[in-house]
Amino acid sequence: MSDAPARPAEADSSAPARPGAVVAVLALAGITVSLMQTLVIPIVPELPGYLHASASDAAWAVTATLLAAAVATPVAGRLGDMFGKRRLLLVSLVLLVAGSVVCALSDTLVPMIAGRALQGLAAAVVPLGISVMRDELPPEKLAGSTALMSASLGVGGALGLPAAAFIADHFDWHVLFWTSASLGVVAFLCVLGLVPESSVRTGGRFDLAGALGMAVGLVSLLLAVSKGADWGWGSGTTLGLFALAVVVLPAWGLFELRTAQPLVDLRTTARRQVLFTNLASIAFGFSMFAMSLVLPQLLQLPTQTGYGLGRSMLTVGLVMAPQGLVMMAMAPVSAMITKSRGPKVTLMTGAIIVAAGYGLNIVLMSEVWQLVLVSCVVGAGVGFAYGAMPALIMGAVPPSETAAANSLNTLMRSIGTSAASAVAGVILAQMTISLGGRALPSESGFKVVMAIGAGAAALAFVLAAFLPRHRPDGTAPATAATEPSAEQVA
């Protein structure tokens, strides 16, 4: 790889963009990739039997996707800035299709884990798509389009759950992955035919040492967080992984600060607007995933508990589906508030709505319609917040760093969801009742998790309050065409 300066894209891929088609195609790609997060949820209880493996080993089909996505997202973002965002978007979709085909052909554990890891490598599609929009869309369409693209992370997951449950109930489980592969092919062809390549590139040399250091640190941290409950939080393996992360990540940070062309520009991420947006993203990721853990269990627990509703996985999917539709509907509203009041206000509004949704859930959890209502309220808040985050990030970084910065923000959300899974798992495992000789999560345990979810949303509100104020003329604190200093942004 060369040290060439930024250069325009090749002429053969720079056809004029059709904004409506670009937005539709990129949103489709984002929804397709986000489906992989919920694709296996309906079959998790049956996976050990399908793969002839123990339950703890079969759980790697979920963990592998998480770890691969954590590593691939910032790497693909940086490569997109260097060599073309559309190019890396297409590569990501190829990996999704390949992983889906491997899973569809699998009947044992190892190929399933490999296929799920390949699917995880496609997680950068959403931040890459947002970055393509910044380069290709007219300014008046950018806010609403990036809000929709950002919301596709939740939309795909919410809409995918009932579809996956229906397929799992009526067809062979391999059909789930053939469906994912088919959608990936459609998304690939649409991107190939309708999305132009950006002319904004940095060139330069890829920071391989930084990528390896980040991979070791992130995998150690997320593996300890996601598997700590299974291995034991005080086990040597869990503590050793935490210790490795504590050693490697600071060392990686020092290395990145001393590297001329780092994988992650930590000086840019330390700017107030970027830093507090990423911190708020962690809190929002935590808060949103808490809902995904609580509602399905409440719906599926037996009615004999006194609070469980005894419904099927398909019903769970149908209850969660409106959340995705509400998130999509909130995208233009989020963009309107961002244009008039600034993304800081939009983010803080979203935090208040999410906290209110969890507050409602503490008192409204005895009927299906109540859970639908709560899901929609939280979805509305998340739609506001996820629409504001790309605007905040892109307002503080130059176009040449857009994909890397958006990818890092997506990673922050993933870290929040991983932490939520660990914390909620511990709480629900400790606060239980006994029914028929089985330990089940108690009603109080669910309420504690929901209260923590509300607290995480409140924390996001506080963090957003430290963001720079929106200028009266409607411009961001830092313009897209410049590389401001930390003082200028602050």
Side-chain angles (χ1 to χ4, degrees), residues 147 150-151 326-328 330-331 334 346 350 354 377-388:
S150 186
V326 170
M327 289 179 66
M328 186 179 296
M330 287 300 105
S334 171
T346 309
V354 171
V377 172
V378 172
V382 173
F384 275 101
Y386 277 16

Short mmCIF file of all heavy atoms in Angstrom, two decimals, residues 147 150-151 326-328 330-331 334 346 350 354 377-388:
data_model
loop_
_atom_site.label_atom_id
_atom_site.label_comp_id
_atom_site.label_asym_id
_atom_site.label_seq_id
_atom_site.Cartn_x
_atom_site.Cartn_y
_atom_site.Cartn_z
N ALA A 147 -30.22 9.74 9.06
CA ALA A 147 -31.06 9.28 10.18
C ALA A 147 -31.71 7.95 9.84
O ALA A 147 -31.77 7.03 10.67
CB ALA A 147 -32.11 10.33 10.50
N SER A 150 -28.99 5.19 9.81
CA SER A 150 -28.60 4.84 11.17
C SER A 150 -29.68 4.02 11.86
O SER A 150 -29.39 3.05 12.58
CB SER A 150 -28.31 6.12 11.98
OG SER A 150 -27.80 5.81 13.25
N ALA A 151 -30.94 4.38 11.62
CA ALA A 151 -32.05 3.64 12.23
C ALA A 151 -32.19 2.24 11.67
O ALA A 151 -32.80 1.37 12.31
CB ALA A 151 -33.36 4.40 12.02
N VAL A 326 -41.54 2.28 13.94
CA VAL A 326 -41.53 3.59 14.59
C VAL A 326 -40.16 4.25 14.41
O VAL A 326 -40.06 5.46 14.16
CB VAL A 326 -41.89 3.45 16.09
CG1 VAL A 326 -41.64 4.76 16.82
CG2 VAL A 326 -43.35 3.04 16.24
N MET A 327 -39.09 3.47 14.55
CA MET A 327 -37.75 4.02 14.33
C MET A 327 -37.62 4.60 12.94
O MET A 327 -37.06 5.68 12.75
CB MET A 327 -36.69 2.94 14.57
CG MET A 327 -36.52 2.55 16.03
SD MET A 327 -35.29 1.24 16.25
CE MET A 327 -33.80 2.09 15.73
N MET A 328 -38.14 3.88 11.96
CA MET A 328 -38.08 4.37 10.58
C MET A 328 -38.91 5.64 10.42
O MET A 328 -38.50 6.60 9.76
CB MET A 328 -38.57 3.28 9.64
CG MET A 328 -38.42 3.62 8.16
SD MET A 328 -39.00 2.27 7.09
CE MET A 328 -37.83 0.98 7.49
N MET A 330 -39.52 7.84 12.64
CA MET A 330 -38.92 8.95 13.38
C MET A 330 -37.73 9.57 12.64
O MET A 330 -37.29 10.66 13.00
CB MET A 330 -38.47 8.49 14.76
CG MET A 330 -39.58 8.23 15.75
SD MET A 330 -40.59 9.72 16.08
CE MET A 330 -42.07 9.31 15.12
N ALA A 331 -37.22 8.89 11.63
CA ALA A 331 -36.04 9.41 10.92
C ALA A 331 -36.27 10.81 10.35
O ALA A 331 -35.46 11.72 10.59
CB ALA A 331 -35.61 8.44 9.83
N SER A 334 -36.59 13.30 13.26
CA SER A 334 -35.27 13.55 13.82
C SER A 334 -34.49 14.55 12.97
O SER A 334 -33.84 15.47 13.48
CB SER A 334 -34.50 12.23 13.93
OG SER A 334 -33.15 12.44 14.28
N THR A 346 -31.69 16.95 19.40
CA THR A 346 -32.31 15.70 18.95
C THR A 346 -31.86 14.54 19.81
O THR A 346 -32.68 13.70 20.23
CB THR A 346 -31.93 15.43 17.48
OG1 THR A 346 -32.19 16.58 16.69
CG2 THR A 346 -32.74 14.26 16.93
N GLY A 350 -34.21 12.27 22.33
CA GLY A 350 -34.27 10.81 22.26
C GLY A 350 -34.00 10.16 23.60
O GLY A 350 -34.66 9.18 23.98
N VAL A 354 -36.58 7.62 25.62
CA VAL A 354 -36.20 6.26 26.00
C VAL A 354 -36.35 6.04 27.50
O VAL A 354 -36.89 5.02 27.96
CB VAL A 354 -34.75 5.95 25.55
CG1 VAL A 354 -34.28 4.62 26.14
CG2 VAL A 354 -34.67 5.89 24.03
N VAL A 377 -42.54 3.35 22.21
CA VAL A 377 -42.00 4.56 22.84
C VAL A 377 -40.47 4.51 22.83
O VAL A 377 -39.80 5.48 22.45
CB VAL A 377 -42.53 4.71 24.28
CG1 VAL A 377 -41.81 5.85 24.99
CG2 VAL A 377 -44.03 4.97 24.26
N VAL A 378 -39.92 3.37 23.25
CA VAL A 378 -38.46 3.24 23.24
C VAL A 378 -37.92 3.34 21.82
O VAL A 378 -36.89 3.97 21.56
CB VAL A 378 -38.04 1.92 23.90
CG1 VAL A 378 -36.53 1.68 23.74
CG2 VAL A 378 -38.39 1.92 25.38
N GLY A 379 -38.62 2.72 20.87
CA GLY A 379 -38.19 2.80 19.47
C GLY A 379 -38.18 4.23 18.96
O GLY A 379 -37.27 4.62 18.20
N ALA A 380 -39.16 5.03 19.36
CA ALA A 380 -39.18 6.43 18.95
C ALA A 380 -37.96 7.17 19.49
O ALA A 380 -37.31 7.94 18.77
CB ALA A 380 -40.46 7.11 19.45
N GLY A 381 -37.64 6.94 20.75
CA GLY A 381 -36.47 7.60 21.34
C GLY A 381 -35.18 7.19 20.68
O GLY A 381 -34.31 8.02 20.39
N VAL A 382 -35.05 5.90 20.41
CA VAL A 382 -33.84 5.40 19.75
C VAL A 382 -33.75 5.96 18.34
O VAL A 382 -32.66 6.31 17.85
CB VAL A 382 -33.83 3.86 19.74
CG1 VAL A 382 -32.66 3.34 18.90
CG2 VAL A 382 -33.71 3.32 21.16
N GLY A 383 -34.90 6.08 17.66
CA GLY A 383 -34.89 6.66 16.32
C GLY A 383 -34.38 8.09 16.32
O GLY A 383 -33.60 8.48 15.44
N PHE A 384 -34.80 8.89 17.30
CA PHE A 384 -34.27 10.25 17.43
C PHE A 384 -32.76 10.22 17.66
O PHE A 384 -32.00 10.95 17.00
CB PHE A 384 -34.94 10.96 18.62
CG PHE A 384 -36.25 11.61 18.30
CD1 PHE A 384 -37.44 10.99 18.63
CD2 PHE A 384 -36.29 12.83 17.65
CE1 PHE A 384 -38.65 11.59 18.33
CE2 PHE A 384 -37.50 13.44 17.35
CZ PHE A 384 -38.69 12.82 17.69
N ALA A 385 -32.33 9.40 18.60
CA ALA A 385 -30.92 9.40 18.99
C ALA A 385 -30.03 8.89 17.86
O ALA A 385 -29.00 9.50 17.55
CB ALA A 385 -30.74 8.53 20.24
N TYR A 386 -30.43 7.78 17.26
CA TYR A 386 -29.59 7.21 16.20
C TYR A 386 -29.56 8.10 14.97
O TYR A 386 -28.62 8.05 14.18
CB TYR A 386 -30.10 5.81 15.83
CG TYR A 386 -29.59 4.72 16.76
CD1 TYR A 386 -29.04 5.03 18.00
CD2 TYR A 386 -29.67 3.38 16.41
CE1 TYR A 386 -28.58 4.05 18.85
CE2 TYR A 386 -29.21 2.38 17.25
CZ TYR A 386 -28.67 2.72 18.48
OH TYR A 386 -28.22 1.73 19.31
N GLY A 387 -30.60 8.92 14.78
CA GLY A 387 -30.56 9.88 13.69
C GLY A 387 -29.62 11.03 13.94
O GLY A 387 -29.03 11.59 13.01
N ALA A 388 -29.46 11.39 15.23
CA ALA A 388 -28.60 12.53 15.57
C ALA A 388 -27.13 12.18 15.59
O ALA A 388 -26.27 13.03 15.30
CB ALA A 388 -29.02 13.08 16.94
#
